[in-house]
Amino acid sequence: MKLYGATEDKDIKMRYLHKECHTPIKYERRFPKCDKALESENILRGYEDGKYVIMDKNEIEELAGEQNKSVEIVDFVELTDIDPIYFNRSYFIGLNENESKPYMLLKQAMEESGRIGFAKIPIRSKEHLAAVRVYEKGLMLETMYFLDEVRDFSNVPDIPSELKVSTKEKKLAKQLIEHLTTKIEPMQYKDERGEAILALIESKISGDEIKVVEEKPKRKVGDLMNALQASLDTGAASKSPQKKKASSRKKKVAK
């Protein structure tokens, strides 16, 4: 089995530069006591617990070596049984030699049963929970967080345990949800800020004049009711021109 990253980081990476000469700033690993730069062979790992418990690199690698390198499916579950908060990163599952038949057998059985595999897998020095599921013509592995890696929502401050809302407010909120409900099309969602930054970078490279698009003035909203009504009005306004054009055509035909 081989894993191939199914997602990629599209963050726009920038270097920190010296203001005067525009050269990149270099970060060094230095020993503060002697103020000396350190080579990698002189660096150890230490777990801090009042004092440092030294962990040798070979000791960690030996522990990892004892683990099974393959995906160990321990259960089959419904995808809806897993809260999305546990999902971490996606990988396409590829094949090693002589794995075609068991690979396709598992894929077809999972496809027909509608189940996904709940698994464990070691990646680098860490054991991960994982979900194995059918994706297009093959299998995908989603690494997952363990329960103790997901923080308790009770740590979030100022969330009321109960808050009374009126029937009118609830009705308006449900209207907004219905108004904005659509069939999801991932291609229509774009990283608009990232695209704007890239366009700015390209304009600086080409020497073109930089044009800044003026933002529309934001409507001031006083409370929840006004906010919901404003959202509904905005949505209705965006659809109204088409209706007006249609009605104007009908009037012209009537004449």
Side-chain angles (χ1 to χ4, degrees):
M1 178 204 68
K2 296 179 180 177
L3 297 181
Y4 301 85
T7 59
E8 58 180 314
D9 183 2
K10 287 287 188 178
D11 287 349
I12 299 170
K13 294 178 172 59
M14 298 188 188
R15 294 286 302 273
Y16 285 102
L17 309 176
H18 184 222
K19 186 176 180 179
E20 293 182 6
C21 61
H22 291 183
T23 54
I25 296 172
K26 185 178 179 181
Y27 294 93
E28 294 182 327
R29 295 181 178 180
R30 301 188 69 82
F31 179 41
K33 189 174 181 179
C34 301
D35 194 27
K36 292 181 180 179
L38 290 174
E39 300 296 332
S40 57
E41 59 265 22
N42 293 321
I43 298 174
L44 298 174
R45 294 186 184 185
Y47 178 80
E48 188 173 5
D49 184 23
K51 58 182 180 180
Y52 289 103
V53 180
I54 303 301
M55 300 295 294
D56 186 81
K57 183 181 178 181
N58 294 329
E59 292 177 322
I60 297 173
E61 289 179 351
E62 284 174 10
L63 287 174
E66 292 175 1
Q67 298 173 343
N68 189 350
K69 295 294 184 183
S70 62
V71 177
E72 179 190 359
I73 296 180
V74 294
D75 290 300
F76 286 93
V77 300
E78 299 280 353
L79 179 59
T80 52
D81 289 341
I82 305 175
D83 192 298
I85 194 172
Y86 289 99
F87 290 118
N88 183 5
R89 188 170 182 181
S90 304
Y91 294 89
F92 297 131
I93 301 179
L95 294 172
N96 286 322
E97 194 175 352
N98 300 321
E99 287 185 339
S100 297
K101 189 171 183 177
Y103 183 97
M104 294 310 296
L105 179 62
L106 178 61
K107 175 190 176 292
Q108 291 175 17
M110 290 173 61
E111 206 164 26
E112 292 179 13
S113 67
R115 304 289 195 276
I116 67 167
F118 200 63
K120 285 186 175 183
I121 178 174
I123 300 177
R124 300 184 181 92
S125 61
K126 187 179 187 298
E127 186 176 56
H128 293 263
L129 284 178
V132 178
R133 65 183 180 92
V134 175
Y135 182 81
E136 295 186 358
K137 62 180 182 179
L139 295 173
M140 174 176 279
L141 181 140
E142 311 264 3
T143 56
M144 299 170 60
Y145 295 106
F146 284 97
L147 179 62
D148 63 352
E149 294 178 303
V150 177
R151 293 175 178 172
D152 195 325
F153 191 83
S154 63
N155 294 327
V156 180
D158 302 326
I159 301 295
S161 56
E162 286 187 28
L163 185 65
K164 291 184 178 181
V165 295
S166 69
T167 304
K168 185 178 180 181
E169 288 173 324
K170 193 182 295 185
K171 183 180 178 181
L172 200 56
K174 289 171 72 175
Q175 275 186 308
L176 178 62
I177 292 172
E178 288 297 325
H179 183 74
L180 297 177
T181 297
T182 183
K183 185 177 180 181
I184 189 167
E185 295 179 10
M187 294 299 293
Q188 72 180 354
Y189 302 103
K190 297 180 180 179
D191 179 6
E192 295 180 1
R193 184 174 184 275
E195 289 182 354
I197 292 174
L198 286 174
L200 179 60
I201 292 170
E202 288 295 328
S203 66
K204 284 177 173 283
I205 292 172
S206 61
D208 294 337
E209 183 181 348
I210 301 170
K211 296 180 180 179
V212 179
V213 179
E214 291 185 8
E215 289 188 4
K216 295 179 180 179
K218 294 182 179 179
R219 186 181 301 183
K220 293 182 180 180
V221 181
D223 55 30
L224 176 62
M225 292 291 287
N226 288 339
L228 294 175
Q229 190 62 58
S231 297
L232 286 170
D233 291 344
T234 301
S238 64
K239 295 180 181 180
S240 60
Q242 294 179 349
K243 292 182 179 179
K244 287 180 180 178
K245 287 181 181 178
S247 61
S248 63
R249 289 195 193 102
K250 288 180 182 177
K251 289 179 182 178
K252 287 179 182 179
V253 172
K255 289 179 180 180

